[in-house]
Amino acid sequence: MIENIKDIKPIYPTEPWKITEPAFKPENNYRNETVFVLSNGYIGMRGTFEEGYKLPKGLGMEGSFVNGFYESETIRYGETAYGFADKTQTMLNVANAKIIRLSVDGEEFSLFEGKLDEAKRVLDMKAGTLSRFVRWTSPKGKTVEIRSTRLVSLTNKYAAAIEYAVTPIDFDGEIVLISLIDGDVENNTKENNSRIDYGPYGRVVLPVDRRCEGAFSALRQKSKNTAIGIVTAMRNEIDFDAARENTDDEFTVSTRFAFKARRGKTYTLTKYITYVTTRDFPEEKLYDAAKTVLSDLSREGFAALAAAQKKYLDEFWENADIEIDGDDLLSQGLRWHEFALLQSPGRDGKTSLGAKGLSGEGYEGHVFWDTEMYVTPFFNFERPEIAKQILMFRYNTLDQARERARVLSVKRGCCFPWRTINGREASAFFLAGTCQFHINADIAYAVHQYVTATGDDGFLADYGAEILVETARFWVEFGEYIDYKGGKFCINGVTGPDEFAVLVNNNCYTNMMARENMKYAVEAVAFLKEKMPDKYAALAKKIDLADEEPAEWQRAIDNTYIPYDETRGIYPQDDSFLSKKRWDIENTPFSEFPLLDKHHPIVVYRHQVSKQADFVLAMFLLSRYFTREEMKRNFDFYETVSVHESSLSACIFSIVADAIGYHDVAYKYFMTTSRLDLDDYHANVNAGYHCANMAGTWMSMVFGFGGMRLDDGELSFAPVLPEKWNSYRFRLLWRGRLLEVKVDQTGAHYRLLRGDALTIKSNGQEITVE
Amino acid sequence: MIENIKDIKPIYPTEPWKITEPAFKPENNYRNETVFVLSNGYIGMRGTFEEGYKLPKGLGMEGSFVNGFYESETIRYGETAYGFADKTQTMLNVANAKIIRLSVDGEEFSLFEGKLDEAKRVLDMKAGTLSRFVRWTSPKGKTVEIRSTRLVSLTNKYAAAIEYAVTPIDFDGEIVLISLIDGDVENNTKENNSRIDYGPYGRVVLPVDRRCEGAFSALRQKSKNTAIGIVTAMRNEIDFDAARENTDDEFTVSTRFAFKARRGKTYTLTKYITYVTTRDFPEEKLYDAAKTVLSDLSREGFAALAAAQKKYLDEFWENADIEIDGDDLLSQGLRWHEFALLQSPGRDGKTSLGAKGLSGEGYEGHVFWDTEMYVTPFFNFERPEIAKQILMFRYNTLDQARERARVLSVKRGCCFPWRTINGREASAFFLAGTCQFHINADIAYAVHQYVTATGDDGFLADYGAEILVETARFWVEFGEYIDYKGGKFCINGVTGPDEFAVLVNNNCYTNMMARENMKYAVEAVAFLKEKMPDKYAALAKKIDLADEEPAEWQRAIDNTYIPYDETRGIYPQDDSFLSKKRWDIENTPFSEFPLLDKHHPIVVYRHQVSKQADFVLAMFLLSRYFTREEMKRNFDFYETVSVHESSLSACIFSIVADAIGYHDVAYKYFMTTSRLDLDDYHANVNAGYHCANMAGTWMSMVFGFGGMRLDDGELSFAPVLPEKWNSYRFRLLWRGRLLEVKVDQTGAHYRLLRGDALTIKSNGQEITVE
């Protein structure tokens, strides 16, 4: 399957730190809107234009998002049943605050009229800005230059800004600038989710009121059913003389500047933007909060905001940057992935990271396991304070997960939702949703990795242990010792990561990860008991943790059933995987893919075919339990049955291929992941980022080529240098240290850039890095 | 589980041939509406009153139905996928033509006002009528007697009639009779199907026009989306002098008779009713067709109609009646079951039998496997011409079933729908719907049994063989020879009859029945080739049947995988049944049943617990393949894991219990089935008949106590006399003969009442019956 994409050519010019759109082409616009997304984990703005075009379907999709601002509706099922998720959760398109309209002597600037001498945009990943340069001649022959710079602040959650400068080139005349907020917005959920047969339909962001006072203009709205209040506000500053005229109506607030402009002179409008919601402020303080944000921004000025942005990114790139000497294309791709990741997750513990970040409506803004299994590792090693907040979202939604476990007849512990914004289950197809119980273990794994990488025992004591215990409790009750399986601890009726095999018994990945989950719980409880007895006592009291519980978990750990086929030396993906009819992948015409789009689920489910890495993922995450030979045998087998119809697959195959010495194979898989979005391999980047793949690329570099593992809290590497590269380098934060790993023809080189000396393993050899 | 119902007392007086409601009690009304249903397989009328009350929810539900008159809407799924059923099919409540309103000097008769000296109703199962006797004193003190007799003709598909006689007892005064058709009807689908989250909502039977000419009044309507035209018409005749006044509006046609009545004199209105639809007549002929039906009825008169009804039923009871000497209660229950069954199935080959016949909206009027596996056997032996029409419905919907197979990526053969009215799949929950592929084999079984019982080789040649071949073709392509299962022919990803174990591999019932299905196909082709080569040639041409196909089926037959556990001597219900956690039935509180209403499906699915007979059904249908010891062992096992949350279960357990000598157990199960509806064990008879259980009772008598089997086309019996009975007797049609089986303390006695001499087996002994 992965061969299909080998002929795809780079779309953007190869530049180390920039993504450039050299000229405006309508047919590329929808895609570029995603590539030029700016966001900060709270505010998300698609890379649409200041003119605020309402483009026909397929040419673009306006999108502004605020993490945690969502709508709910009743899910309607063809046939419903007890315990099915009852409410949708959909991240909403919020008011578009980017709009600045320009008129030149009565002619309105538009990319679709007049003559474009130039229309370039540049995403600068060091500056964290989207810049635009336009030279436009109006239908009547007047030429202007427009330069704008947009940023969504990485240092101020509530801040975004646009600097918009216009210069008449060949005329003196009247220029009108209208800066506005357009609150007349709707979601395109259905269009972006072909399998979802519900809303929100129509207008669900309802007008409340608005306030326009001098430079401050704001619109207050409310989501229809969830009743979250939101104020979208702007403050417009100009560096020239012009009358300011504010107008407003039900859905719009706008500020108009009209002035006589002189040829060759540049006129600059600076627009400060904020969104504040009742998730952070009381309803009655929303306007004040917005006003304060904007006053502060205006006082400090755009330059200061841009400087802070640059500084933040300098620090980020200082440790996060991956350099590949010998492949600029790849370097660019990796950087954009990291930039996009940095922009995406919520940092307030109340919100997390949807599968598409804040870049589009895809997957309704839902948080899946991708967040913990793919994205969190990146942050664990590059921005751990963000990783912590991602995990805090799970901690803060533990009550909803406990309630869900009760609905599933499990009396203790928690069951995290497969898809969610607010912590409740929103999956309307339980076979490939709720049944993916492995998410419990995935979250536990992420907690464990975070604590391992950071040494943040305080987090473990205050939050992590509670997650580990509650998830472990779920497993011991959900699973069962089955006589027919030699009294082993089995977990039946689950769906593993591979959504082509649903409701199976003993999914190997799930069982191994659940066992690991329970181990972490045993260890965490033992650790707290010994090292932080007060914390242990508090936890035990809070969640009614009995002294004998760890022994229950230990019994399950010691007896976990792991499906294994002795004859073939294969770990079957689940109890029945080897008993299924094999899908003839080679002879399936291209038109029959993706399989689930072209076949009834029953057809796919009863075949031996994997959508994505499942057991192969276990071989990466839990490589310590496998010999290299075992891994080889199983990799060989699973490669022949996998179709990689998920952006979560190739990166994992790449990592495991490296671990077993299949370096060419690893490189091949890596190449399909590293520029997946930037080169639009799946032809769907218009709908938004594939965050998991972006993080998967990083994992392929660090865990794959770098061969990093953290077993028993010990950092080890087994670096490999792909043939086509001269060298590569990445840096990692590890328990307060900054470590550089550089790999070139002469081998691996480790350098401690910050922090205390450290002993690591490199290809099995202990090395002390000082 | 079956103990729960032992304390239920008979609701109706014990009478051999009647069901009597001695007095009107509002709290019993909703239930009695079902018990007093009259229908003829085309027209169905719930036992509601002539007054046409609009009762509050829970006290009653008006219902008139026409088999095949249904509505479709788009099914909305929480999350949809390729091949999901796209349209609902819902049998519609049609215009209520029963209404006759009575006023006495300006006071309108109502059961809810004035004084009821008597208000009795009697369903007479020999006459096929519902009679009513009311003596009512109005609030102002005027007493009238009302006698009405209602029938839905079993000899004339399109005919129903009501004879309505009123007698002023203690006054002379003005009496007004208004006879009307009320077309302002809606379905109560949602109320009756808690798991279904869609319509039809509101008014979907739309007005077209109406015609009132003298004694003829008719309303033309049309279903909203399916656009089936329907004319509901009446003709009112009186035996006294009165002015006739016709009125009509959008939803009503009505005829009013006002007259001066004299004390002691009886005034009779006869109302002839018909329903005709565009499924039988061209739109423009509907009124004419209705007029013809009603003119004929009027000419012949009510007495003639009633006489024909009586004659039809005399003939029916002549062979169908089951007498149990020593238990009048049971005899009454069995007769009502048979009467209800006779009333229910369509007889035109275009319609069939919904799970509730024409008695209510439950299950939306859908045809399930119940029809072939439970109801058809009754007709095979008591009214084979009806059995044939039931099978013709499947034949006539073969194209839809072929189309469905294609949707399921099966290139040859057919896949019958799990739920349907029009032949297309209407199941909105594929796990317990489409996945029940066994329906293909069930239909094949019914075809085979029909041909065996009737010797109707013409049917086999013209219709049956095509069904057998197309279903067999499905299996060979849907199943697969699996190396991992020793190269055996496996059928994965199915749901068996037990809906608590979905999407399993190698459901034992399904595999054995599919094998049988393929055998029938092999035999049918061989038979045609040899005996009716022209028919074979025609069939081969029509469905492109290659000479080598039967060998393909034979290979699958010879290699069918049948799950068997050597150690325990148990046939596991499917590959994973024994590997599941056992549900602790004994210690589950009553409030946790029914299991699927109180637990998420995942919870139920991952347990070893059966909703209903599954493998036990295989042991009945295919008893020839099992030793008695095997059957005992497996019965013992399955009894402990079954909760009988389906009315299709107990009768099968009863039959198998008899076969293995567990006669007390058999009797216990039988007692839960025999008066299930009449005594309202499940407290839901208000929603309509449980047709499968009704037929199951008959099967328990004939196949259970009578021990009848047809293996290799040989009729055999192994009769058992339950302790509490003196004797019992049933009669069967067998290849043109009428055979009586009587069992008493002295043994079994066989008598040939009609037809040629016959050799049968009785307890293994050959007997010739002459």
Side-chain angles (χ1 to χ4, degrees), chain B residues 55-165:
Chain B
L55 296 177
K57 205 169 145 173
L59 283 189
M61 192 181 63
E62 193 55 74
S64 303
F65 307 102
V66 167
N67 204 346
F69 189 79
Y70 72 101
E71 177 63 336
S72 275
E73 292 187 353
T74 298
I75 302 177
R76 286 180 61 185
Y77 292 94
E79 198 175 322
T80 191
Y82 179 91
F84 278 12
D86 56 350
K87 298 278 183 198
T88 64
Q89 298 165 40
T90 311
M91 180 170 76
L92 289 177
N93 228 316
V94 296
N96 179 5
K98 295 188 301 289
I99 303 176
I100 299 173
R101 294 203 183 116
L102 163 69
S103 296
V104 174
D105 275 341
E107 289 183 281
E108 187 165 338
F109 164 57
S110 163
L111 293 170
F112 299 94
E113 283 174 53
K115 184 164 163 285
L116 279 178
D117 298 303
E118 187 157 15
K120 187 166 97 168
R121 286 192 293 176
V122 179
L123 176 72
D124 184 325
M125 298 184 282
K126 281 196 153 171
T129 55
L130 176 65
S131 298
R132 184 179 184 197
F133 180 80
V134 176
R135 191 182 167 105
W136 177 73
T137 303
S138 75
K140 289 186 180 156
K142 286 173 181 152
T143 301
V144 286
E145 275 188 10
I146 305 158
R147 286 165 190 272
S148 78
T149 305
R150 179 190 300 174
L151 67 75
V152 174
S153 174
L154 290 161
T155 57
N156 181 343
K157 168 177 173 179
Y158 299 107
I162 302 170
E163 197 176 59
Y164 190 95

Side-chain angles (χ1 to χ4, degrees), chain A residues 76-80 82 195 197-198 409 478 480 484 492 505 565 576 578-579 581 599-600 603 606, chain B residues 76-80 82 195 197-198 408-409 478 480 484 492 505 565 576 578-579 581 599-600 606:
Chain A
R76 287 180 61 183
Y77 292 94
E79 198 175 322
T80 191
Y82 180 92
R195 291 197 183 134
D197 195 12
Y198 47 76
S409 305
F478 192 77
E480 173 76 0
Y484 203 75
N492 288 335
N505 299 330
D565 180 72
S576 64
L578 296 180
S579 307
K581 179 173 179 171
H599 304 86
H600 194 294
V603 177
R606 67 198 175 79
Chain B
R76 286 180 61 185
Y77 292 94
E79 198 175 322
T80 191
Y82 179 91
R195 292 201 181 129
D197 194 13
Y198 46 75
L408 295 165
S409 305
F478 192 77
E480 173 75 1
Y484 203 76
N492 289 336
N505 299 330
D565 180 71
S576 64
L578 296 180
S579 307
K581 178 174 182 173
H599 303 86
H600 194 293
R606 68 197 175 78

Side-chain angles (χ1 to χ4, degrees), chain A residues 42-45 64-66 94-98 157-160 181 230-233 273-277 280-281 290 293:
Chain A
Y42 172 70
I43 299 169
M45 288 181 176
S64 303
F65 307 102
V66 167
V94 296
N96 179 5
K98 296 188 301 286
K157 168 178 173 180
Y158 299 108
I181 296 172
I230 186 168
V231 160
T232 311
I273 295 165
T274 192
Y275 295 89
V276 291
T277 81
D280 289 349
F281 301 96
V293 170

Side-chain angles (χ1 to χ4, degrees), chain A residues 74-85 194-199 201 404 407-410 419 427-432 434-435 437 477-480 482-485 490 492-493 502-503 505-506 564-565 568 572 575-576 578-583 592 596-603 605-606, chain B residues 74-85 194-199 201 404 407-410 419 427-431 434-435 437 477-480 482-485 490 492-493 502-503 505-506 564-565 568 572 575-576 578-583 592 595-603 605-606:
Chain A
T74 298
I75 302 178
R76 287 180 61 183
Y77 292 94
E79 198 175 322
T80 191
Y82 180 92
F84 278 13
S194 62
R195 291 197 183 134
I196 286 173
D197 195 12
Y198 47 76
Y201 293 104
R404 186 69 184 153
V407 170
L408 296 165
S409 305
V410 172
R419 309 174 68 131
S427 167
F429 187 61
F430 74 90
L431 288 180
T434 300
C435 279
F437 296 105
E477 198 177 321
F478 192 77
E480 173 76 0
I482 302 284
D483 289 345
Y484 203 75
K485 293 278 190 180
C490 294
N492 288 335
V502 303
L503 207 66
N505 299 330
N506 297 307
Y564 186 70
D565 180 72
R568 292 163 178 75
D575 275 359
S576 64
L578 296 180
S579 307
K580 288 181 179 173
K581 179 173 179 171
R582 194 150 176 163
W583 192 290
E592 301 252 316
L596 265 190
D597 286 1
K598 307 294 174 66
H599 304 86
H600 194 294
I602 297 172
V603 177
Y605 295 165
R606 67 198 175 79
Chain B
T74 298
I75 302 177
R76 286 180 61 185
Y77 292 94
E79 198 175 322
T80 191
Y82 179 91
F84 278 12
S194 62
R195 292 201 181 129
I196 286 172
D197 194 13
Y198 46 75
Y201 293 104
R404 185 69 185 153
V407 170
L408 295 165
S409 305
V410 172
R419 311 174 67 130
S427 168
F429 187 61
F430 74 92
L431 288 181
T434 299
C435 278
F437 297 105
E477 198 178 322
F478 192 77
E480 173 75 1
I482 302 284
D483 290 345
Y484 203 76
K485 293 275 190 182
C490 295
N492 289 336
V502 303
L503 208 65
N505 299 330
N506 296 307
Y564 187 69
D565 180 71
R568 291 162 179 76
D575 275 359
S576 64
L578 296 180
S579 307
K580 288 181 180 174
K581 178 174 182 173
R582 194 150 174 163
W583 192 291
E592 302 253 314
L595 295 184
L596 265 190
D597 287 1
K598 308 294 174 67
H599 303 86
H600 194 293
I602 298 172
V603 177
Y605 294 165
R606 68 197 175 78

Side-chain angles (χ1 to χ4, degrees), chain B residues 504-566:
Chain B
V504 299
N505 299 330
N506 296 307
N507 171 260
C508 200
Y509 172 89
T510 304
N511 284 20
M512 293 191 81
M513 289 291 284
R515 181 175 66 179
E516 214 63 9
N517 184 165
M518 295 185 285
K519 280 185 190 173
Y520 299 151
V522 169
E523 286 165 15
V525 167
F527 173 81
L528 291 190
K529 263 187 166 169
E530 191 191 327
K531 307 277 187 188
M532 302 163 102
D534 291 354
K535 295 285 188 184
Y536 172 75
L539 177 67
K541 187 172 173 208
K542 182 181 176 195
I543 62 172
D544 202 17
L545 177 62
D547 269 355
E548 53 279 13
E549 281 192 62
E552 252 186 83
W553 312 332
Q554 191 61 51
R555 187 182 156 220
I557 292 164
D558 294 341
N559 289 284
T560 303
Y561 177 77
I562 307 294
Y564 187 69
D565 180 71
E566 295 283 352

